[in-house]
Amino acid sequence: MPLTLRLLNGGGYMRRHDVENILRHLYAMQCVEIIGVSNIGKSALLRLLAQPDVWVQELGEAAQEFLPVYVDCNRILDMTEQGFCELVLRCLQEASPALGVLPELVHAYDMLVSPSSDFQVPLSFSRGLTAALESGPRKLVLLFDEFDDPYQQVDARVFLNLRAIQDRHNGQLIFVTASGRPLTLLNQDGRHDEFAEIFSHRSWYLAPLTRSDTELQVRRYMTAYEAAFTSADIDFIYQWSGGHPRMAEGVCRVLQAALEAAEPTPLDPMERWQFHRKLAATLLEDVYLARECSKIWCELTPEEQAELMALTLADHNPDHAVVDELLRRHLLRRVEGRPQLFCRLLAGFVQRQAAPAAPESTSLWVDTASGQVLVNGAPVETLTALEYRLMQLLFQNRDKIVDKYQIVTHVWGESYIDEVDDARIEKLISRLRQKIEPDPSSPNFLTTIRGRGYRLVVN
């Protein structure tokens, strides 16, 4: 399924909120850096912003003042100054028939490809870009996709040159970049300070797709692959993917294969719900989906990884600066006042990074891959959503005391602090004991620490 933001009717597109806000900055001739995690849709958004009809829909007649030029940095032939400059001039010629035959631009490109000296490369690049700027009244918008590697590896004078050209043609040239981190963080050695400062205070952190946009993506999949998904299936896909386009596509594929293999097909709402629950283990084991989670995980700093693994620890003292950055990057969302990972797939992946392998002598264990609770190696009766959240909390804090406040905030949410009383907590504890204890009246695993809370032991 092509990961495009265009809708099936050809006229509309997803990510309207992102498009509207970014174009508002560009109309004001303000450079924008788009920041997002792996495969969240930065490239799809930049390709959309390169389409003139999108500008017309958003800006009307004012769109005629701009010429957006998409520059895919993956097309750089050689990660050098010459390679970067060649790509930019090539994309300019491809963006407009008039620029494609502009003599000054064509000559500058030819001189850059076969320079007589090293000095000829920046000179030809400046002449070519200047010729494009002076060829007509339209303002140039250079959309740099996959910008991380060239920004860090190409000679700094390229970006100083870009900044100088923009200064000389004030009001005629602006840039949009797409990267995994802000340019100020990629610019650790200070080589690109002058270029990075033109994006100051205009960092657009790209969020996953909204629930409504995810449904549009799923329905496009249904049309392309003749998948018969229900509304409950679409909810399931969104919960597990969190609106991550690649993960949503992967969940669609796994779900369709499972439905086609099921006999009979679960049609009753309760049967469909049970079917979804059993499918969870398949999703967490899927190689494609695990690879998408791994890409995001590997982009994180050690501090960010540690913070995510500690989310469910009852006695964890969060690093608020790290949490704020994870929220800003949309890896975390606040749910009932608490930060949670934006999708179940990534949450399951992180739990598996944090959980050690079950020792052979363990009597009770939670298999985070399948979501099963095992007692002496055998799965217990299926837990409800509340029971499983409580089980996860206790397991992540095994051998520690978990108090009632921690139980309410982790299981129900902070907004329920004044609503969930001791009796309700004790009833949930009792239900969990009925499923995990050999003798619930004399619990071995889940014990009460009078006046303090509860403690789970696994042996």
Side-chain angles (χ1 to χ4, degrees):
M1 179 177 63
L3 292 173
T4 173
L5 296 175
R6 291 284 188 181
L7 302 184
L8 292 174
N9 61 21
Y13 41 84
M14 295 179 275
R15 289 201 179 277
R16 292 300 297 266
H17 175 70
D18 300 298
V19 171
E20 290 170 359
N21 281 275
I22 292 170
L23 286 187
R24 177 170 52 83
H25 286 301
L26 299 182
Y27 179 72
M29 297 304 295
Q30 297 171 335
C31 297
V32 180
E33 58 174 344
I34 298 173
I35 304 159
V37 300
S38 173
N39 287 335
I40 201 65
K42 301 185 293 294
S43 294
L45 178 58
L46 256 67
R47 291 191 186 99
L48 186 69
L49 291 171
Q51 302 303 311
D53 69 297
V54 173
W55 287 70
V56 172
Q57 286 194 46
E58 300 296 335
L59 300 179
E61 292 185 3
Q64 304 304 320
E65 302 173 14
F66 297 87
L67 175 61
V69 179
Y70 178 69
V71 182
D72 182 358
C73 293
N74 281 334
R75 297 174 62 198
I76 294 178
L77 301 176
D78 184 25
M79 199 62 71
T80 61
E81 178 185 16
Q82 183 183 17
F84 181 84
C85 294
E86 184 275 334
L87 174 65
V88 174
L89 295 192
R90 176 164 32 115
C91 291
L92 282 171
Q93 294 178 78
E94 295 170 350
S96 162
L99 291 181
V101 296
L102 184 66
E104 296 88 343
L105 178 55
V106 172
H107 178 69
Y109 178 80
D110 291 340
M111 293 297 294
L112 189 150
V113 172
S114 302
S116 57
S117 66
D118 291 340
F119 178 71
Q120 190 69 54
V121 171
L123 179 61
S124 297
F125 178 67
S126 296
R127 287 176 174 173
L129 184 51
T130 299
L133 287 165
E134 295 177 348
S135 65
R138 289 203 289 179
K139 304 163 184 174
L140 283 182
V141 183
L142 297 184
L143 303 155
F144 291 111
D145 194 11
E146 301 290 349
F147 194 60
D148 309 64
D149 286 345
Y151 190 64
Q152 293 178 294
Q153 297 179 31
V154 174
D155 194 303
R157 63 180 176 177
V158 173
F159 305 104
L160 291 175
N161 197 6
L162 273 177
R163 174 63 192 270
I165 295 171
Q166 189 202 37
D167 288 342
R168 288 199 303 271
H169 294 84
N170 187 30
Q172 287 295 117
L173 176 64
I174 45 176
F175 311 116
V176 179
T177 61
S179 56
R181 293 280 185 172
L183 298 184
T184 51
L185 293 182
L186 298 179
N187 180 35
Q188 293 182 349
D189 58 5
R191 296 188 308 149
H192 308 315
D193 286 340
E194 292 185 34
F195 186 77
E197 70 179 7
I198 63 178
F199 299 90
S200 177
H201 309 301
R202 286 183 294 277
S203 300
W204 186 259
Y205 287 84
L206 195 60
L209 296 175
T210 62
R211 168 62 176 76
S212 58
D213 276 354
T214 301
E215 179 169 350
L216 291 172
Q217 181 188 356
V218 172
R219 293 199 180 279
R220 186 168 59 208
Y221 179 97
M222 293 168 64
T223 301
Y225 297 102
E226 299 180 347
F229 294 154
T230 65
S231 295
D233 292 332
I234 296 175
D235 286 336
F236 174 79
I237 293 165
Y238 181 68
Q239 289 164 2
W240 279 90
S241 70
H244 187 285
R246 296 275 185 179
M247 292 188 195
E249 180 188 16
V251 177
C252 284
R253 176 181 48 77
V254 174
L255 177 59
Q256 183 183 15
L259 286 171
E260 290 175 349
E263 291 188 7
T265 301
L267 300 176
D268 178 79
M270 183 54 68
E271 291 177 348
R272 202 76 160 197
W273 180 76
Q274 291 287 356
F275 177 81
H276 289 161
R277 291 201 63 172
K278 292 178 181 177
L279 190 61
T282 305
L283 292 175
L284 291 170
E285 293 293 338
D286 184 79
V287 174
Y288 176 87
L289 294 172
R291 186 163 58 243
E292 288 302 316
C293 291
S294 180
K295 289 176 184 177
I296 295 175
W297 181 254
C298 292
E299 290 178 346
L300 301 174
T301 65
E303 294 77 15
E304 289 170 337
Q305 291 177 347
E307 196 63 42
L308 291 182
M309 288 191 291
L311 276 178
T312 57
L313 296 179
D315 58 353
H316 173 62
N317 186 23
D319 184 326
H320 294 292
V322 175
V323 171
D324 287 345
E325 178 63 18
L326 292 169
L327 287 166
R328 189 160 39 245
R329 298 179 67 204
H330 303 286
L331 282 165
L332 293 178
R333 293 172 174 168
R334 288 204 179 275
V335 179
E336 298 293 347
R338 293 184 59 252
Q340 294 184 10
L341 280 156
F342 78 95
C343 72
R344 290 185 180 180
L345 275 170
L346 188 59
F349 181 88
V350 172
Q351 286 175 3
R352 296 176 73 177
Q353 307 308 305
E360 294 182 4
S361 61
T362 299
S363 301
L364 180 145
W365 200 256
V366 177
D367 185 344
T368 56
S370 65
Q372 287 185 323
V373 179
L374 307 174
V375 173
N376 296 322
V380 303
E381 180 185 345
T382 302
L383 305 185
T384 66
L386 285 179
E387 290 165 356
Y388 186 69
R389 283 204 289 271
L390 174 60
M391 188 73 242
Q392 278 187 312
L393 172 66
L394 294 168
F395 181 71
Q396 293 291 338
N397 295 277
R398 51 193 176 276
D399 299 322
K400 300 177 183 178
I401 297 174
V402 178
D403 62 35
K404 293 180 179 180
Y405 174 83
Q406 293 163 339
I407 291 175
V408 175
T409 56
H410 282 74
V411 175
W412 283 275
E414 285 189 2
S415 62
Y416 286 83
I417 288 295
D418 297 327
E419 296 183 28
V420 178
D421 56 16
D422 289 356
R424 195 169 170 186
I425 296 173
E426 290 165 4
K427 185 175 180 180
L428 182 61
I429 292 287
S430 176
R431 281 167 32 202
L432 184 57
R433 280 176 174 155
Q434 292 292 329
K435 296 182 177 181
I436 68 171
E437 296 285 359
D439 180 6
S441 63
S442 180
N444 292 321
F445 301 122
L446 180 47
T447 58
T448 301
I449 310 299
R450 190 170 301 279
R452 299 182 65 188
Y454 303 92
R455 178 164 55 203
L456 181 77
V457 294
V458 296
N459 292 313

